[in-house]
């Protein structure tokens, strides 16, 4: 059955293995199913919820686009654009913000994590950010949204907003409630330094993540230094589950190799840690390093990237502005 796919990635630099395995790899797989309509957005309006240097933001918008392309997204098959070029996203967010309830936003765990201890100093944008995300999704009538585990709660909020809008304006099924597409396993890639902490672009330690722009040596070094424990390699899943760092590395290996965890456990039981780490480095170098090379190549041609974003924005604008107009009619404007 044909799916309408929408997803977004923030251009905040340091895109990493978590972004790739949790989301972008899935974007590419969904694009392979010919009947799907795929729309992928560089969500620059989301990025400015935290202060950005204008020159670095500009660079990161291009870099995130290059990551999409280098990972296998094809502008002939998918719409690729950046959010700020389609003003309907912000317009939709205002209207949906009048539908969403404060209580719903107050429950968002990502805001609590990102705002930290001093919530009073967080931007208002950071607080209302999930409403903009709902606007992104609902303006395209997306049926499915591929994301990592950390975005699940925002997807639930999007569904609540769609339901309330439809019920407030007596418009059954007008806004489509999207389904999250979260990889069953490996939907949360953890830090290489702490198996209980998410791999994140904002982690001050570069050793905690594999960046998609890392070179061979950096990949090999980071895996060599990745935290493990002192036990022997596990021969069953319940042992592995008790060991967060190793569980994460086994998850990364399985996901990269497209194989299930049991197979990975079987492959390495009775072997040494160094055997496993060598295989993991090899697998990452084989799959991630070509992406890194391609990103660097693409970044040399800024015009090409800008053209893709411009042409994607013009396609996205047609869809999104029509939906915003329909929304306006429903609410009496
Ligand atoms: P962002 O930019 O933080 O992350 C982009 C995607 O990467 C996934 N991800 C991870 N997956 C597994 N393990 C990790 N350690 C990891 N870190 C990040 C995220 O789940 C995400 O899928 N709010 C979104 C962007 C957004 C969006 C949207 C997504 C804006 N509008 C509409 C979908 C639909 C965000 O900040 O993702």
């Amino acid at each position: 059955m044909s799916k309408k796919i929408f997803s977004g990635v923030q251009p905040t630099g340091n895109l990493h293995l978590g972004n790739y395995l949790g989301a972008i790899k899935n974007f590419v797989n969904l694009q392979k199913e010919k009947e799907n309509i795929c729309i992928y957005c560089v969500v620059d309006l989301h990025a400015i919820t935290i202060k950005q240097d204008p020159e670095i933001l500009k660079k990161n918008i291009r870099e995130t686009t290059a990551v999409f392309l280098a990972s296998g997204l094809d502008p002939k098959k998918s719409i690729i654009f950046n959010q700020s070029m389609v003003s309907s996203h912000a317009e939709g967010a205002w209207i949906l913000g009048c539908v969403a309830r404060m209580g719903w936003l107050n429950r968002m765990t990502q805001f609590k994590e990102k705002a930290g201890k001093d919530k009073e100093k967080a931007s208002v944008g950071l607080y209302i950010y999930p409403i903009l995300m709902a606007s992104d999704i609902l303006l395209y009538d997306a049926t499915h949204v591929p994301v990592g585990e950390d975005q699940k709660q925002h997807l639930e909020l999007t569904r609540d907003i769609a339901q309330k809008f439809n019920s407030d304006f007596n418009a059954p099924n007008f806004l489509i409630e999207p389904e999250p597409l979260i990889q069953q396993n490996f939907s949360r890639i953890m830090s290489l330094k702490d198996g209980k902490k998410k791999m994140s672009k904002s982690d001050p330690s570069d050793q905690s993540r594999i960046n998609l722009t890392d070179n061979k040596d950096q990949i090999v070094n980071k895996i060599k230094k990745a935290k493990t424990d002192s036990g022997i390699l596990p021969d069953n899943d319940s042992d592995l589950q008790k060991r967060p760092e190793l569980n994460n590395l086994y998850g990364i290996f399985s996901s990269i190799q497209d194989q299930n965890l049991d197979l990975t456990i079987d492959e390495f039981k009775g072997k040494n840690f160094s055997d496993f780490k060598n295989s993991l480095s090899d697998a990452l170098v084989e799959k991630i390093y070509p992406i890194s090379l391609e990103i660097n190549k693409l970044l040399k041609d800024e015009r090409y990237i800008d053209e893709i974003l411009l042409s994607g924005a013009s396609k996205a604008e047609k869809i999104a502005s029509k939906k915003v107009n329909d929304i306006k009619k429903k609410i009496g404007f």
Side-chain angles (χ1 to χ4, degrees), residues 10 18-19 129 133 136 147-148 150-151 187 189 199 201:
Q10 289 196 58
N19 298 123
Y129 156 131
M133 179 160 163
D136 299 340
V147 280
D150 62 338
Q151 297 299 319
S187 58
I189 304 295
M199 185 178 283
K201 41 193 159 191

Side-chain angles (χ1 to χ4, degrees), residues 193-212:
K193 292 273 147 202
D194 178 351
K196 295 200 181 90
K197 222 167 96 184
K198 197 181 71 168
M199 185 178 283
S200 155
K201 41 193 159 191
S202 56
D203 193 315
S205 164
D206 194 58
Q207 295 293 323
S208 70
R209 60 180 167 264
I210 307 272
N211 299 306
L212 296 176

Side-chain angles (χ1 to χ4, degrees), residues 6-12 15-24 27 43 46 83 110 114 129 132-134 136-137 145-151 154-155 186-190 198-201:
F6 184 98
S7 198
V9 175
Q10 289 196 58
T12 36
L15 287 195
H16 52 73
L17 193 62
N19 298 123
Y20 180 73
L21 295 178
I24 300 169
F27 298 178
V43 290
H46 278 92
Q83 194 183 27
Q110 198 170 72
K114 288 200 174 171
Y129 156 131
L132 177 60
M133 179 160 163
D136 299 340
I137 297 167
V145 180
V147 280
E149 174 73 28
D150 62 338
Q151 297 299 319
H154 293 159
L155 258 293
F186 333 125
S187 58
R188 199 174 165 81
I189 304 295
M190 309 309 270
K198 197 181 71 168
M199 185 178 283
S200 155
K201 41 193 159 191

Side-chain angles (χ1 to χ4, degrees), residues 162-197:
Q163 251 176 41
K164 182 159 166 45
F165 185 98
N166 292 346
S167 127
D168 285 358
F169 297 99
N170 195 17
N173 302 321
F174 170 67
L175 294 181
I176 308 291
E177 286 180 47
E179 297 287 337
L181 288 179
I182 298 176
Q183 321 258 60
Q184 276 211 319
N185 299 308
F186 333 125
S187 58
R188 199 174 165 81
I189 304 295
M190 309 309 270
S191 155
L192 301 178
K193 292 273 147 202
D194 178 351
K196 295 200 181 90
K197 222 167 96 184

